[in-house]
Amino acid sequence: MTVHYKERTAVQIHRAATSQSDACRHLPVILLFVIPGVSHHACEESWEEIQSKKTIRAENEVEANKLVNNYRFGFRKWKSHVTERPFADRSEVVKELYSELNVIKPHAGQLFTCGNVLYVFLFGWWVSLAYFLVGILMFITIIGVPYCKLCWKLGCYFLWPFGNSIHKVQFVFNVGILSPLLVVQRRFSTYVWLLLGYPLLVVVHSLACFISWILVFTIPVSKMNAQTLGVILLQAPEDVSISSSYETRALLCCYHAANWYYYKYTVDGINVFAVNLLPLVIVALVIGYIDRENQYASSDVKFAIAIGSIIPLSYYIGMGIASISAQSNFAVGAVVNATFGSITELTFYITALLKGHREANPCLQEVVKAALTGTLLGCILFIPGICMIIGGLKHSEQRFNSRCTGVSSALLFISVGGVFAPTLFSKAYGNLVCDACTNSTGGNGTSNSSGPFVCHNCHYDLNNGTLFHNHVQPLVYTVSALLPVAYIIGLIFTLKTHSHIYDIHVGEGQVTGHHGTVVHWSRWRSLVILIMATVLTSACADLATEHVQPILNQPNISQYFIGVTVLAMVPEIPEIVNGIQFALQNNISLSLEVGGCIAVQVCMLQIPILVLFNAFWDVGFVLLFSDQHLWASIFSVILVNYIFMDGKSDYFQGDYLVDILVISSHFFINK
C-alpha cells in the first residue's frame, strides 16, 4: 500500500524544479497535488515557501512513521528500511542480488568479465585442485570410484563454472534386478565418501564461502559454495550431471562471480557490511579478556579491533532505535532516541573517566574532552562536507531550505556557546599557570633571565576558590541544567503542541493500520538487541580505554589527536553512511540534519550527563576546554552558518568544510 504524508516542514523530499521559475512552471503537477485547490497565484511565492510544501511517500505506515521521524527534532535520521519490502516491487538489479543460483538464463550476457577472471585466480584454481586430490583419495579406496568420477567432474566445473549448470538426473531402478551385493556396495561407497571425501570438501567450501562473503561483492561465489555443500555433494554420484542445456531449473548455475551492487545487500534488514563486522566484537572480547599479557596480540592491535567492533554495534543500536520509534508513538520514540541515541558515546566517555580516576591519569580526561570536540567538529564539518561532495558529484547542485537550516544552525550555535561558556569565562577572569618556563638563554624564568620564554603545560588555575568554586562551577551546573531543559522544550514544541505541522493523510482506499506489514525487528526484539548491543559496547569501550595508553605514550601521537579523530568519528560511521545515502538520493536536507542532530545531542544531552555523573561520582571531569577545542568549534559553527545561507550546496562547498576539518585536526597532532 502507499501512505501519503503531507507535512509543512523545511525539508523537501521530492522536488520537480530546481528554481523558482521551474517550480512555477511545474505548479499544476506539484502544488495541486500537495495542496488541493491552490491557484496559479502561488507562482508569486518565494522559493523557500514553495519548497516547504511536499509529500512523503512510503510503502506502509511503519515506513511512513520512520520517514516523518527523520524530520522531527531529537530523532536520529535513519535511511535503511525497518520493514520488509515486497520483492515484486524491487528493481531488477536488487532482485538479482537475492535470486537463487538455480534458474537457467538463456541470455545471460557476456561471461568473460573481470569478475569471472578474478574468480579463477582467487577461488577457482585451488577449489578445483582440492576436488582432484579428493578424487585421487576416493580412487585409492576402490569402493569410492563413483565419487572419484564425481569429484573430477566437479573439479573441471569449479575451474570455470560460468555458463554451465548442474542437474539432477532421475534414474528409475527396478529394485528386483538390483542384487544385494550391489546394494551393499553402494551403501559402503556412500559411507566412505561421508567419512573421507565429504569432510575435506566441507573445509574447502567453507573457506571459500567465508572469504567470498567477507569480500561482499563476490557473494555469488559464497552462494555457489553453500549450494554445493548443502545439496550437490549429498546427491548420489550417478544423479549429478553437468551440462550447458537450457532447461528451466537446475541444482546450480552461476553466470557472474561478482556484482558491484552487493553493497545494498541486507540480512534481516541489516546491511551486509555491518553483518560482516559483527565477528570483530567476539574477536575483541576474546583477545582482550583472555590474552591479558599481550602474548598473542599487542595493545595497538587490541585497541584497533575494539574500536572497529563499535562500528557494527552502533549500526545495530541505530536500527533498534529506528524500529522502536517507527512502531511507537512520539513519546516512546523521543525517550528511546534520547536514551539510546547517545549510549555508544556515553559508554566510552564514562568508562574512560572511571579508568582515568582509578589510575590517577588525567590524560584520559583530556581524551574524553578531545573526543567530545572531535564529535562536534565531525558533525559540523565532516558529515555535511562529505555529503555535499558525494551528492554534488552526482547531482551537480542540490537545494535545501535555508530558513530551516538557519534555525538548526542557530540552535547549534546556542548549544556550542552554552558548552564553551565556562571556558570563555575562565579565560576572561582566570589566571594562567604553567608548569615550567624556559628561555633561549637557558634561564628558568627568574628576573635575571632575558629573551623569549617557552612555557609548557599551561592551564587555568582551578584551585582558585573564589573564581572556580564561586563562579565557574555554578556556571557549569547552570549550563548543564538549561541545555537538557531546552532539549525537552524542543521535543514538546515539535512533537506535541505544534505537531500539526505534520499533517498525515492516507490515500483513498488504503488501509491505515500496519497489521499486514512485516517488520524486520519487533519492538521487543529491538529492545533486547539494544540492551545486548549496549552491554557489548560497554565491554568494547572498556577494552579500548585499557589499551589506548600505550598508543598515547608514543612521542608523535597526542591524546588530543586520538580523541578528535579516531575516538570521535569511528562510532559515527553508521550516521555518516546514512547521510551519504540521503545525499545520493538528492535529499541533502536530511544529510545536513544528520550531523546537526548528533551535535545537538552532544551539547544538550551527553555533556550535561557527564557533568551530572561527575557531580555524583567525582572523576575529575571539568567542563573547561583548551584553546584549540574552543576556537575550532566556534569557528566551525560560524563557517557552517555562512555556507548554509544561500540554500544551495555543491561539491566545492563540501570540499571547504572537509579541508577546514583536516586543518583543524592538524593542530591537535603535536599538541
Side-chain angles (χ1 to χ4, degrees), residues 29-48:
V29 179
I30 298 178
L31 293 186
L32 292 179
F33 175 71
V34 177
I35 306 177
V38 70
S39 61
H40 286 276
H41 74 274
C43 289
E44 300 177 359
E45 295 184 10
S46 64
W47 167 254
E48 288 80 6

mmCIF file of all heavy atoms in Angstrom, residues 29-48:
data_model
loop_
_atom_site.group_PDB
_atom_site.id
_atom_site.type_symbol
_atom_site.label_atom_id
_atom_site.label_comp_id
_atom_site.label_asym_id
_atom_site.label_seq_id
_atom_site.Cartn_x
_atom_site.Cartn_y
_atom_site.Cartn_z
ATOM 1 N N VAL A 29 1.561 20.330 -11.518
ATOM 2 C CA VAL A 29 1.945 18.961 -11.190
ATOM 3 C C VAL A 29 2.206 18.796 -9.708
ATOM 4 O O VAL A 29 1.846 17.808 -9.100
ATOM 5 C CB VAL A 29 3.192 18.551 -12.004
ATOM 6 C CG1 VAL A 29 3.611 17.137 -11.652
ATOM 7 C CG2 VAL A 29 2.905 18.674 -13.492
ATOM 8 N N ILE A 30 2.829 19.816 -9.094
ATOM 9 C CA ILE A 30 3.306 19.662 -7.725
ATOM 10 C C ILE A 30 2.307 20.210 -6.716
ATOM 11 O O ILE A 30 1.762 19.493 -5.902
ATOM 12 C CB ILE A 30 4.654 20.357 -7.544
ATOM 13 C CG1 ILE A 30 5.673 19.701 -8.465
ATOM 14 C CG2 ILE A 30 5.136 20.262 -6.112
ATOM 15 C CD1 ILE A 30 7.026 20.334 -8.395
ATOM 16 N N LEU A 31 2.062 21.511 -6.803
ATOM 17 C CA LEU A 31 1.310 22.139 -5.720
ATOM 18 C C LEU A 31 -0.144 21.702 -5.706
ATOM 19 O O LEU A 31 -0.750 21.602 -4.648
ATOM 20 C CB LEU A 31 1.404 23.655 -5.843
ATOM 21 C CG LEU A 31 2.800 24.246 -5.598
ATOM 22 C CD1 LEU A 31 2.728 25.764 -5.591
ATOM 23 C CD2 LEU A 31 3.375 23.761 -4.305
ATOM 24 N N LEU A 32 -0.729 21.437 -6.883
ATOM 25 C CA LEU A 32 -2.106 20.980 -6.886
ATOM 26 C C LEU A 32 -2.224 19.590 -6.274
ATOM 27 O O LEU A 32 -3.261 19.222 -5.747
ATOM 28 C CB LEU A 32 -2.649 20.963 -8.329
ATOM 29 C CG LEU A 32 -2.813 22.351 -8.969
ATOM 30 C CD1 LEU A 32 -3.338 22.201 -10.391
ATOM 31 C CD2 LEU A 32 -3.739 23.227 -8.150
ATOM 32 N N PHE A 33 -1.117 18.831 -6.312
ATOM 33 C CA PHE A 33 -1.133 17.505 -5.701
ATOM 34 C C PHE A 33 -0.914 17.585 -4.209
ATOM 35 O O PHE A 33 -1.542 16.882 -3.434
ATOM 36 C CB PHE A 33 -0.044 16.638 -6.341
ATOM 37 C CG PHE A 33 0.074 15.297 -5.689
ATOM 38 C CD1 PHE A 33 -0.906 14.345 -5.850
ATOM 39 C CD2 PHE A 33 1.157 14.998 -4.881
ATOM 40 C CE1 PHE A 33 -0.795 13.119 -5.242
ATOM 41 C CE2 PHE A 33 1.275 13.768 -4.272
ATOM 42 C CZ PHE A 33 0.293 12.837 -4.463
ATOM 43 N N VAL A 34 -0.041 18.482 -3.804
ATOM 44 C CA VAL A 34 0.272 18.578 -2.382
ATOM 45 C C VAL A 34 -0.813 19.335 -1.639
ATOM 46 O O VAL A 34 -1.249 18.941 -0.575
ATOM 47 C CB VAL A 34 1.633 19.267 -2.196
ATOM 48 C CG1 VAL A 34 1.933 19.451 -0.723
ATOM 49 C CG2 VAL A 34 2.717 18.443 -2.846
ATOM 50 N N ILE A 35 -1.252 20.456 -2.216
ATOM 51 C CA ILE A 35 -2.266 21.275 -1.549
ATOM 52 C C ILE A 35 -3.421 21.475 -2.524
ATOM 53 O O ILE A 35 -3.371 22.362 -3.374
ATOM 54 C CB ILE A 35 -1.697 22.634 -1.115
ATOM 55 C CG1 ILE A 35 -0.450 22.417 -0.263
ATOM 56 C CG2 ILE A 35 -2.718 23.443 -0.347
ATOM 57 C CD1 ILE A 35 0.212 23.700 0.151
ATOM 58 N N PRO A 36 -4.440 20.645 -2.481
ATOM 59 C CA PRO A 36 -5.544 20.749 -3.428
ATOM 60 C C PRO A 36 -6.219 22.113 -3.323
ATOM 61 O O PRO A 36 -6.408 22.679 -2.247
ATOM 62 C CB PRO A 36 -6.486 19.619 -3.000
ATOM 63 C CG PRO A 36 -5.623 18.680 -2.232
ATOM 64 C CD PRO A 36 -4.600 19.530 -1.564
ATOM 65 N N GLY A 37 -6.594 22.642 -4.492
ATOM 66 C CA GLY A 37 -7.309 23.904 -4.514
ATOM 67 C C GLY A 37 -6.438 25.119 -4.647
ATOM 68 O O GLY A 37 -6.931 26.236 -4.675
ATOM 69 N N VAL A 38 -5.115 24.952 -4.749
ATOM 70 C CA VAL A 38 -4.256 26.109 -4.871
ATOM 71 C C VAL A 38 -4.382 26.686 -6.266
ATOM 72 O O VAL A 38 -4.594 25.985 -7.240
ATOM 73 C CB VAL A 38 -2.788 25.721 -4.578
ATOM 74 C CG1 VAL A 38 -2.238 24.865 -5.693
ATOM 75 C CG2 VAL A 38 -1.933 26.964 -4.398
ATOM 76 N N SER A 39 -4.303 27.982 -6.383
ATOM 77 C CA SER A 39 -4.429 28.659 -7.665
ATOM 78 C C SER A 39 -3.063 29.041 -8.192
ATOM 79 O O SER A 39 -2.050 28.911 -7.525
ATOM 80 C CB SER A 39 -5.293 29.915 -7.508
ATOM 81 O OG SER A 39 -4.681 30.803 -6.590
ATOM 82 N N HIS A 40 -3.047 29.598 -9.423
ATOM 83 C CA HIS A 40 -1.773 29.893 -10.066
ATOM 84 C C HIS A 40 -1.103 31.114 -9.472
ATOM 85 O O HIS A 40 0.046 31.387 -9.802
ATOM 86 C CB HIS A 40 -1.987 30.113 -11.565
ATOM 87 C CG HIS A 40 -2.241 28.842 -12.297
ATOM 88 N ND1 HIS A 40 -1.227 28.018 -12.734
ATOM 89 C CD2 HIS A 40 -3.404 28.230 -12.647
ATOM 90 C CE1 HIS A 40 -1.748 26.964 -13.355
ATOM 91 N NE2 HIS A 40 -3.065 27.066 -13.294
ATOM 92 N N HIS A 41 -1.761 31.848 -8.584
ATOM 93 C CA HIS A 41 -1.069 32.977 -7.969
ATOM 94 C C HIS A 41 0.017 32.513 -7.004
ATOM 95 O O HIS A 41 0.798 33.313 -6.505
ATOM 96 C CB HIS A 41 -2.062 33.876 -7.227
ATOM 97 C CG HIS A 41 -2.546 33.266 -5.932
ATOM 98 N ND1 HIS A 41 -3.618 32.411 -5.885
ATOM 99 C CD2 HIS A 41 -2.076 33.392 -4.662
ATOM 100 C CE1 HIS A 41 -3.823 32.040 -4.632
ATOM 101 N NE2 HIS A 41 -2.898 32.614 -3.861
ATOM 102 N N ALA A 42 0.083 31.178 -6.795
ATOM 103 C CA ALA A 42 1.157 30.663 -5.943
ATOM 104 C C ALA A 42 2.526 30.862 -6.570
ATOM 105 O O ALA A 42 3.544 30.716 -5.912
ATOM 106 C CB ALA A 42 0.933 29.176 -5.655
ATOM 107 N N CYS A 43 2.552 31.174 -7.887
ATOM 108 C CA CYS A 43 3.838 31.425 -8.531
ATOM 109 C C CYS A 43 4.536 32.627 -7.936
ATOM 110 O O CYS A 43 5.749 32.796 -8.093
ATOM 111 C CB CYS A 43 3.654 31.649 -10.028
ATOM 112 S SG CYS A 43 3.221 30.158 -10.940
ATOM 113 N N GLU A 44 3.772 33.482 -7.257
ATOM 114 C CA GLU A 44 4.374 34.649 -6.644
ATOM 115 C C GLU A 44 5.077 34.311 -5.344
ATOM 116 O O GLU A 44 5.764 35.151 -4.765
ATOM 117 C CB GLU A 44 3.300 35.706 -6.385
ATOM 118 C CG GLU A 44 2.597 36.153 -7.671
ATOM 119 C CD GLU A 44 1.486 37.143 -7.380
ATOM 120 O OE1 GLU A 44 1.275 37.441 -6.175
ATOM 121 O OE2 GLU A 44 0.834 37.612 -8.325
ATOM 122 N N GLU A 45 4.910 33.063 -4.855
ATOM 123 C CA GLU A 45 5.557 32.687 -3.612
ATOM 124 C C GLU A 45 7.062 32.594 -3.814
ATOM 125 O O GLU A 45 7.560 32.358 -4.909
ATOM 126 C CB GLU A 45 5.029 31.331 -3.120
ATOM 127 C CG GLU A 45 3.551 31.368 -2.758
ATOM 128 C CD GLU A 45 3.096 30.043 -2.193
ATOM 129 O OE1 GLU A 45 3.979 29.210 -1.917
ATOM 130 O OE2 GLU A 45 1.894 29.850 -2.022
ATOM 131 N N SER A 46 7.776 32.768 -2.733
ATOM 132 C CA SER A 46 9.230 32.649 -2.785
ATOM 133 C C SER A 46 9.615 31.192 -2.895
ATOM 134 O O SER A 46 8.810 30.290 -2.685
ATOM 135 C CB SER A 46 9.867 33.262 -1.536
ATOM 136 O OG SER A 46 9.459 32.536 -0.395
ATOM 137 N N TRP A 47 10.893 30.965 -3.235
ATOM 138 C CA TRP A 47 11.396 29.597 -3.350
ATOM 139 C C TRP A 47 11.295 28.863 -2.034
ATOM 140 O O TRP A 47 10.971 27.683 -1.978
ATOM 141 C CB TRP A 47 12.838 29.631 -3.841
ATOM 142 C CG TRP A 47 13.522 28.308 -3.688
ATOM 143 C CD1 TRP A 47 14.468 27.977 -2.776
ATOM 144 C CD2 TRP A 47 13.295 27.141 -4.467
ATOM 145 N NE1 TRP A 47 14.844 26.678 -2.935
ATOM 146 C CE2 TRP A 47 14.138 26.131 -3.965
ATOM 147 C CE3 TRP A 47 12.453 26.838 -5.536
ATOM 148 C CZ2 TRP A 47 14.181 24.866 -4.496
ATOM 149 C CZ3 TRP A 47 12.490 25.562 -6.064
ATOM 150 C CH2 TRP A 47 13.335 24.601 -5.550
ATOM 151 N N GLU A 48 11.578 29.553 -0.941
ATOM 152 C CA GLU A 48 11.513 28.897 0.358
ATOM 153 C C GLU A 48 10.107 28.449 0.682
ATOM 154 O O GLU A 48 9.887 27.403 1.282
ATOM 155 C CB GLU A 48 12.035 29.832 1.447
ATOM 156 C CG GLU A 48 13.543 30.052 1.419
ATOM 157 C CD GLU A 48 13.942 31.069 0.367
ATOM 158 O OE1 GLU A 48 13.039 31.677 -0.245
ATOM 159 O OE2 GLU A 48 15.166 31.238 0.165
#
